[in-house]
Amino acid sequence: MTNRDLLLSEAGKLGLTFAKNAKTETIQKAVDKANIEATEEKAFIDAGGSVEPAEAVPTIEEITDQIEKKFAAKFEMEKAKMQANMEVNIATKDDKAGAQRATIGQAKLRARKEALKLIRVVITVKDPAKQSWEGEIISAGNDVIGEVKKFIPYMNAEEGYHIPQIILNVLKDKECTVFVNRKGADGKMLKKAKQIKAYAFEYLEPLTPDELTELGRSQTDRQALD
């Protein structure tokens, strides 16, 4: 066995490994250094000292596990944040929807109030076919307030009559046909059909509560006399 072989054998006992083409001088230096360190360590231990074990190097599996745990915690945090934002958005949408419903409800109330507002008028019937009528039932309505029906008297020249705005609008839109005399091309009088408004209106100030009470009393008295 050559000196190199003996040197490699000693190196192996010390836990040293070398490439096949390593120089003998390099191997010798490493073996000498290892022997010195081993001697110093033994002397230190013999003197009552202790050698701390080298810190263990984590394995690939341990490193992978740590990374997975780290990202799992971050994922759960982001998930919780996204869920919280989603709940806030849903609550905000619900609030907006509620506010919109409230706005629509308020608009309907205003429209109903406006449609049923009472207007005091004196009605003049211009429709020739209704000159002798005491009145008629007028109906009006829409999707907001539904249908409104009311008997509208035409014999109210003195004190007027309170009519809901929506029914007054219907009366204002009504037209009738009348015939008027006009000269023809030959100078003779001819009857021509003409469309006119069926009613004319005189608008009065609304009656006060006391005036309404007095009006009701007088109407009752007149009915008793009739």
Side-chain angles (χ1 to χ4, degrees):
M1 182 177 290
T2 64
N3 289 336
R4 180 181 175 85
D5 292 335
L6 292 173
L7 194 59
L8 287 172
S9 177
E10 185 178 357
K13 293 177 182 179
L14 293 171
L16 302 175
T17 57
F18 298 94
K20 290 182 178 181
N21 59 350
K23 293 182 179 181
T24 302
E25 182 182 356
T26 301
I27 298 172
Q28 183 65 61
K29 288 181 179 180
V31 170
D32 291 343
K33 182 179 179 181
N35 283 327
I36 292 172
E37 290 177 351
T39 301
E40 290 177 349
E41 182 178 332
K42 184 176 182 303
F44 178 74
I45 294 173
D46 291 342
S50 61
V51 178
E52 294 291 336
E55 184 177 352
V57 178
T59 63
I60 296 297
E61 290 77 8
E62 291 174 338
I63 294 174
T64 303
D65 184 59
Q66 291 176 2
I67 293 174
E68 288 178 350
K69 288 181 179 179
K70 180 179 179 181
F71 278 96
K74 186 175 182 180
F75 173 77
E76 290 298 327
M77 186 181 299
E78 290 296 328
K79 180 180 177 182
K81 187 186 297 184
M82 290 176 64
Q83 186 172 359
N85 290 336
M86 188 181 299
E87 291 174 355
V88 170
N89 290 336
I90 291 174
T92 302
K93 288 181 180 179
D94 289 342
D95 290 343
K96 289 182 178 179
Q100 186 176 11
R101 286 193 296 270
T103 302
I104 293 173
Q106 292 171 357
K108 286 185 176 181
L109 286 175
R110 287 195 297 269
R112 180 177 179 82
K113 183 177 180 180
E114 179 65 24
L116 299 180
K117 179 177 63 177
L118 296 178
I119 308 297
R120 185 183 172 210
V121 295
V122 173
I123 301 175
T124 300
V125 180
K126 300 175 70 176
D127 187 344
K130 298 181 180 180
Q131 290 298 317
S132 62
W133 290 22
E134 293 185 359
E136 66 179 308
I137 295 175
I138 303 295
S139 63
N142 53 42
D143 294 338
V144 176
I145 67 169
E147 186 179 31
V148 178
K149 286 185 177 182
K150 193 172 183 65
F151 177 78
I152 305 301
Y154 295 149
M155 307 299 180
N156 57 1
E158 294 181 4
E159 63 274 344
Y161 192 75
H162 287 84
I163 301 175
Q165 181 70 63
I166 191 170
I167 290 182
L168 178 60
N169 293 341
V170 171
L171 291 174
K172 288 165 64 177
D173 289 339
K174 285 184 177 294
E175 294 184 343
C176 65
T177 302
V178 296
F179 293 91
V180 296
N181 293 322
R182 290 184 180 176
K183 284 186 179 181
D186 57 359
K188 293 182 179 180
M189 299 301 294
L190 301 174
K191 286 188 177 293
K192 294 286 186 179
K194 179 182 178 181
Q195 290 293 115
I196 64 170
K197 291 293 184 180
Y199 307 94
F201 305 93
E202 179 186 354
Y203 294 89
L204 305 176
E205 289 293 328
L207 294 177
T208 65
D210 291 341
E211 290 173 333
L212 284 172
T213 301
E214 180 61 29
L215 175 61
R217 186 181 298 112
S218 64
Q219 289 175 342
T220 301
D221 293 342
R222 284 201 300 270
Q223 290 174 359
L225 292 175
D226 294 340

